[in-house]
Amino acid sequence: MENGTVHLSADEVLKQKIWDDIREYWKYYRDTKENFTEGRTKVQYAGAEYDEKEIIAMLNAILDGWFGVGKFCRRFENQFSRFLGAHESILVNSGSSANLIAVSALMSDQFQGQLSRGDEVISPAVTFPTTFNPLIQNGLTPVLLDVNAHTYNLNADDLEKAVSPRTRGIMIPHTLGNPNEMDAIMDFAEEHDLVVVEDSCDALGSKYQGKYLGTFGDVGTFSFYVAHQMTLGEGGAVVTGDPEIEPILRSIRDWGRACVCPVCKVSLNPDYQCPLRFQFETDTLPDDYDKRYVYLNVGYNLKPVEFQAAMGLEQLKKLPGFIAARKNNFAQLLDFFEGYSDYFMLPEALPGSDPAWFSFALTVKDNAPFTRKDIVMWLEQHNIETRLLFAGNIIRQPAYKHVHCRVVGELENSDRIMKNTFFIGVYPGLTEDHLTYIMDTVSAFMHKAT
Ligand SMILES: Cc1ncc(COP(=O)(O)O)c(C=O)c1O
């Protein structure tokens, strides 16, 4: 800088021209976007909230010329850990991948508390398929508990009924962003020497007793699919406070290899000589075997790419605002639907919980003079998106007909949720106009149906 003037390199000058064009494009896009028209514009249940900053950040990463895991991914991992107060984060390509490497890492013989095939893991029957699948894919036996009809999570008091001498873990989704009773669950896990995986894919920003979800268990997982609290388009992360588990997670994400530096300096700089590359000793490989091709785990390739991380860095800056908007939208809908509590079972959070809600769920009561289908069809016909609570009672899904698991008690609430529950959105893209339209449309239905 000379006399207050910043001298940019030639490539920086060219980039600035591109960024200016993108800002102009974005302004045009925003100014010409159709206004919300009741009944004509779809009221989405979720959607990516981004602007020119994410686009510029992604293009900047692309122009860098290194597309695989590199400095943007590492920067994102550091900032994500800082946000949550977690020891370490590992970025992956989806929340499903996060769950898969979380469970697979606990099965690794590199992990001292290693789970074995046939061990039991307690989980709720109402779940997302790729919360449940890694248990089956790893040869574990899911032990399924019913859920609470208002929290959609398992009751911590029921854990005692589910435990057996083969039980080694608990895999819990914080359903729709609603915190599980983490103090009781962690006490139970400690007492019975169980590992805990918290699927926080719906729950980024939710807290229990002042602490972010995902940071209680041995491993916590997150999804950055567009429906969630922030997005990288697709993406996910695993967080852990256990320095033993972190390298195993990286290894399983990256083909199972022994090289687990968060950013490989050799990849970033071809002239860099890694001092450890040819010094890795095993009792089965030739002495000089390049560590880059030594495999300690049976892994996958579940890596993200740099421009996803670049988008994530911008989204993280907006995350507190996104969380506040979700809470506010949820509160408005709850206030409205409390007027119809004769007909709907409404969502409830446990004491000490501070949920950054994923959505607003409604369960049509058995004695209501209308069915879920009636109200869902009405909303959809009025261009208001609805969704079901994921898999419902997962063992009723066709894919799981022959899956081996142990069911504890009756899955009464899980079946009710499968039959009677649906949700609408609370995402930050909803304006006051959207919310008013949702409420007016529901009021018109209730007037007709009751
Ligand atoms: C509880 C839960 N776990 C896992 C996932 C999978 O995340 P992804 O879509 O990023 O694979 C989802 C997806 O919404 C989810 O709701």
Side-chain angles (χ1 to χ4, degrees):
M1 199 193 299
E2 256 171 46
N3 306 328
T5 318
V6 179
H7 290 291
L8 296 176
S9 59
D11 69 322
E12 281 299 330
V13 172
L14 288 168
K15 276 185 184 174
Q16 289 304 327
K17 275 164 69 177
I18 302 171
W19 306 163
D20 287 344
D21 280 348
I22 290 169
R23 286 188 195 103
E24 192 182 332
Y25 168 82
W26 191 259
K27 186 173 177 318
Y28 173 81
Y29 168 79
R30 200 188 48 212
D31 293 349
T32 55
K33 208 173 154 198
E34 232 180 80
N35 286 332
F36 171 67
T37 311
E38 291 189 356
R40 204 176 70 206
T41 319
K42 194 174 273 302
V43 181
Q44 295 172 202
Y45 91 93
E49 285 296 299
Y50 66 100
D51 58 28
E52 76 282 4
K53 294 190 193 66
E54 278 83 351
I55 299 171
I56 291 171
M58 282 191 278
L59 278 173
N60 190 34
I62 289 171
L63 292 176
D64 236 36
W66 176 260
F67 306 106
V69 170
K71 64 185 182 192
F72 289 98
C73 287
R74 186 57 186 153
R75 212 172 286 160
F76 179 84
E77 288 177 345
N78 286 336
Q79 293 195 17
F80 190 64
S81 300
R82 205 169 307 142
F83 175 84
L84 290 173
H87 174 71
E88 189 63 69
S89 304
I90 295 97
L91 192 57
V92 290
N93 60 4
S94 73
S96 304
S97 302
N99 283 337
L100 181 57
I101 67 166
V103 176
S104 304
L106 301 175
M107 297 290 293
S108 165
D109 59 14
Q110 306 282 300
F111 174 53
Q112 286 210 352
Q114 186 191 10
L115 305 185
S116 307
R117 297 181 89 77
D119 283 348
E120 292 184 345
V121 177
I122 303 170
S123 215
V126 170
T127 190
F128 194 82
T130 51
T131 312
F132 188 70
N133 294 353
L135 304 178
I136 302 162
Q137 287 153 339
N138 277 288
L140 296 162
T141 302
V143 178
L144 294 180
L145 277 173
D146 200 11
V147 297
N148 179 291
H150 294 273
T151 67
Y152 324 110
N153 291 322
L154 56 74
N155 298 302
D157 291 347
D158 291 344
L159 291 171
E160 200 67 59
K161 289 188 231 160
V163 78
S164 86
R166 274 314 296 264
T167 310
R168 296 292 318 285
I170 302 175
M171 171 88 179
I172 34 163
H174 296 290
T175 307
L176 306 184
N178 199 9
N180 279 274
E181 198 180 343
M182 288 316 296
D183 51 352
I185 290 173
M186 294 312 296
D187 285 351
F188 185 86
E190 198 179 329
E191 191 186 325
H192 294 272
D193 196 20
L194 310 177
V195 289
V196 176
V197 179
E198 282 180 86
D199 177 341
S200 311
C201 286
D202 296 343
L204 174 57
S206 294
K207 288 181 177 172
Y208 185 73
Q209 294 180 347
K211 191 171 155 167
Y212 281 116
L213 298 185
T215 62
F216 287 83
D218 297 84
V219 196
T221 62
F222 294 88
S223 165
F224 303 124
Y225 174 62
V226 285
H228 292 109
Q229 283 80 356
M230 57 171 266
T231 187
L232 281 60
E234 294 277 2
V238 186
V239 303
T240 183
D242 186 338
E244 192 196 347
I245 299 177
E246 187 242 333
I248 308 173
L249 291 165
R250 286 193 194 283
S251 167
I252 292 175
R253 180 194 69 175
D254 301 2
W255 308 288
R257 71 179 182 179
C259 273
V260 287
C261 289
V263 177
C264 174
K265 295 202 177 85
V266 180
S267 308
L268 288 182
N269 174 7
D271 297 331
Y272 177 78
Q273 296 294 329
C274 173
L276 302 173
R277 249 183 98 180
F278 298 100
Q279 288 184 14
F280 196 80
E281 283 179 26
T282 67
D283 52 8
T284 52
L285 297 174
D287 283 352
D288 61 347
Y289 216 74
D290 184 346
K291 188 182 175 192
R292 288 169 71 82
Y293 296 98
V294 175
Y295 302 97
L296 297 177
N297 290 287
V298 180
Y300 304 90
N301 176 359
L302 303 172
K303 290 180 290 175
V305 290
E306 283 283 80
F307 69 83
Q308 284 175 292
M311 178 173 188
L313 285 163
E314 292 302 318
Q315 288 270 293
L316 266 180
K317 294 179 197 162
K318 298 176 180 172
L319 183 57
F322 291 159
I323 292 168
R326 282 175 176 273
K327 289 181 182 175
N328 177 44
N329 293 344
F330 183 91
Q332 288 196 52
L333 289 174
L334 184 61
D335 192 41
F336 168 75
F337 276 104
E338 269 166 355
Y340 293 111
S341 58
D342 284 349
Y343 305 111
F344 295 109
M345 296 168 82
L346 299 176
E348 282 173 18
L350 294 174
S353 297
D354 181 14
W357 291 97
F358 173 77
S359 63
F360 191 91
L362 290 153
T363 304
V364 178
K365 287 189 174 172
D366 290 336
N367 61 354
F370 57 88
T371 63
R372 175 177 69 186
K373 190 173 176 190
D374 294 334
I375 184 159
V376 161
M377 287 303 143
W378 177 265
L379 293 172
E380 293 282 346
Q381 280 157 10
H382 288 81
N383 243 341
I384 297 169
E385 278 191 339
T386 64
R387 293 288 186 272
L388 300 186
L389 213 170
F390 309 141
N393 176 355
I394 194 150
I395 56 168
R396 295 201 182 275
Q397 291 282 350
Y400 301 88
K401 225 183 269 173
H402 304 296
V403 160
H404 173 62
C405 60
R406 184 159 68 80
V407 174
V408 180
E410 302 297 316
L411 302 179
E412 199 184 321
N413 290 332
S414 306
D415 282 334
R416 179 182 290 116
I417 285 170
M418 187 158 218
K419 190 165 156 274
N420 288 354
T421 304
F422 69 99
F423 64 73
I424 54 177
V426 295
Y427 85 111
L430 296 181
T431 62
E432 288 301 316
D433 283 349
H434 292 123
L435 291 171
T436 305
Y437 176 62
I438 293 172
M439 295 179 207
D440 289 348
T441 307
V442 171
S443 297
F445 173 83
M446 298 306 287
H447 184 70
K448 200 169 71 83
T450 62

